[in-house]
Amino acid sequence: MIEVLLQVPVIGMEFEQFAVLFIAALAGGAFGAALGALPSFVFTGFVVFLGEGIAILQREIGSSLDVAGAGNIATGVTGTIGFGAVTGPHIAFAGGVAATAYAGRKYPEMEPDDWDYHFGKDILYAFGTKPDILAVGAIFGVVGMFVTQVMDGLGFPTDNIALSVVATAFLARIVFGYPIVGKAGGSSLLDMSPFEREEMRVAADGGTETDRLATEPWLPHQYKWSGVTAIGLVGGILGGFIWLKTGSIFMGYAISAMSLLFLNLGVEKIPVTHHITLLGAVGAVIAMPAIGSEPAALLVAGAFGAISGLIGELSQRVFYSHSGTHVDPPAMAIAAFMFVLGLLYLAGLLPNAGYLGL
């Protein structure tokens, strides 16, 4: 009874532990703003890659060496750091996204000359040590942590880190005065043709905003349905293959996240695939108990990767392209797809729910 009273309601964590997490999340969110949202996520990839590598090593030799506490090593790197308060996307990336949305309103003069979209979408931008921007990142880092912890405590059946990334991005739009969806520049929210024609946005006075495109697709090189499907199949198969050979669901995700270093450095046409490789691995995890065939599991992995890629593309067309801030299409894809899989598992229609702790 005393232990229950000492815990934070719903979250189920002792108040002292929660205080530590709260303080760390403040710093993590500010860290994401300082580095920039995308650079902070690249660090997520490196840290998760390290943690998963340690986990694979543990499974191979740890038990035979009988290392005391070996089971906690990978958890400490992947969970506590990679997906925790230091580089967790719901904290560092979310803090960076909110900081960029704030700067897009408060400091438009900071926009780089070669940036074609609204500055509130420039998640490559590192804000360094500007105190008010770091403060915004810190606040949203805490909000992201809190949303994740509460939804986990409620047992909500999805990837609640991804869900939190989406929720805080929409919250930033509300707080800083951006439209939730925005006005379509073409015939519908799904129409990307104004971007292809390089049409400019119409200003409130009837003129044109010469510095801003009418439609701003999330990735200019990755928005056509055929290309998204193709990279989805490829990435999904690779994510499934990595799980089959290593037992790590998150290794493919980590490699995808690390590859975004090149996108951040300006290498053209680097695809964004972490939502694809992750769901590809999940597809293989679900398929193997049901089918028992590795080639068939890889085909399922490819299908899951393609579906996740297409959900991400649909999400960007509706929620990213027409407003002025970043709402993350991969996080939307992961949250939506894992929610469906979580419900199907709870209904007894799937043998497992991937990495969800249901």
Side-chain angles (χ1 to χ4, degrees):
M1 181 63 179
I2 294 176
E3 291 182 358
V4 173
L5 292 175
L6 293 175
Q7 291 183 345
V8 180
V10 180
I11 293 175
M13 183 183 297
E14 291 184 0
F15 279 98
E16 184 173 346
Q17 290 178 311
F18 183 76
V20 169
L21 183 58
F22 182 94
I23 296 168
L26 282 170
F31 180 71
L35 267 64
L38 184 57
S40 76
F41 183 66
V42 171
F43 274 100
T44 304
F46 279 102
V47 176
V48 172
F49 184 82
L50 173 63
E52 292 305 287
I54 294 172
I56 294 167
L57 184 62
Q58 277 180 215
R59 287 193 292 270
E60 293 297 318
I61 65 173
S63 57
S64 63
L65 295 178
D66 193 25
V67 179
N72 295 322
I73 298 174
T75 301
V77 176
T78 298
T80 306
I81 302 175
F83 291 132
V86 182
T87 62
H90 58 309
I91 295 174
F93 181 79
V97 167
T100 306
Y102 169 74
R105 287 293 193 215
K106 187 71 179 291
Y107 301 108
E109 69 277 5
M110 296 173 68
E111 179 178 342
D113 293 335
D114 60 350
W115 185 252
D116 296 327
Y117 290 7
H118 192 283
F119 184 40
K121 289 180 173 176
D122 191 358
I123 61 170
L124 290 71
Y125 199 99
F127 291 101
T129 60
K130 200 164 183 59
D132 58 331
I133 297 181
L134 298 189
V136 170
I139 292 168
F140 275 83
V142 166
V143 173
M145 176 277 291
F146 188 73
V147 171
T148 302
Q149 292 292 327
V150 168
M151 300 308 284
D152 282 347
L154 293 173
F156 194 72
T158 191
D159 183 320
N160 289 314
I161 288 179
L163 181 65
S164 178
V165 169
V166 176
T168 53
F170 280 121
L171 178 62
R173 283 188 174 176
I174 295 170
V175 170
F176 301 122
Y178 294 89
I180 294 295
V181 175
K183 183 179 179 180
S187 60
S188 70
L189 292 175
L190 302 183
D191 182 10
M192 297 290 105
S193 64
F195 169 76
E196 295 168 351
R197 294 191 296 268
E198 298 184 353
E199 293 180 6
M200 304 310 293
R201 187 172 295 262
V202 177
D205 61 2
T208 59
E209 298 181 21
T210 56
D211 61 342
R212 193 169 171 205
L213 292 165
T215 302
E216 301 169 335
W218 166 51
L219 296 168
H221 59 280
Q222 186 180 327
Y223 72 89
K224 295 186 177 180
W225 297 110
S226 59
V228 170
T229 303
I231 196 63
L233 289 168
V234 170
I237 289 171
L238 293 178
F241 176 79
I242 290 169
W243 174 76
L244 284 173
K245 298 305 178 183
T246 68
S248 171
I249 293 177
F250 297 109
M251 181 65 82
Y253 172 98
I255 293 172
S256 292
M258 289 190 297
S259 74
L260 299 183
L261 172 63
F262 298 100
L263 184 65
N264 206 115
L265 293 175
V267 179
E268 294 184 3
K269 300 183 180 180
I270 295 292
V272 178
T273 59
H274 54 283
H275 57 309
I276 291 170
T277 49
L278 177 61
L279 267 298
V282 170
V285 169
I286 292 173
M288 275 304 292
I291 302 174
S293 164
E294 289 192 357
L298 287 182
L299 294 178
V300 173
F304 271 50
I307 293 169
S308 185
L310 291 170
I311 294 172
E313 178 55 31
L314 177 63
S315 300
Q316 81 86 9
R317 291 183 181 228
V318 175
F319 296 112
Y320 179 95
S321 293
H322 314 290
S323 190
T325 70
H326 183 89
V327 174
D328 198 54
M332 287 188 275
I334 293 168
F337 203 166
M338 292 306 298
F339 179 65
V340 171
L341 297 177
L343 291 180
L344 291 175
Y345 169 73
L346 293 175
L349 300 177
L350 294 178
N352 61 67
Y355 57 89
L356 299 182
L358 302 177

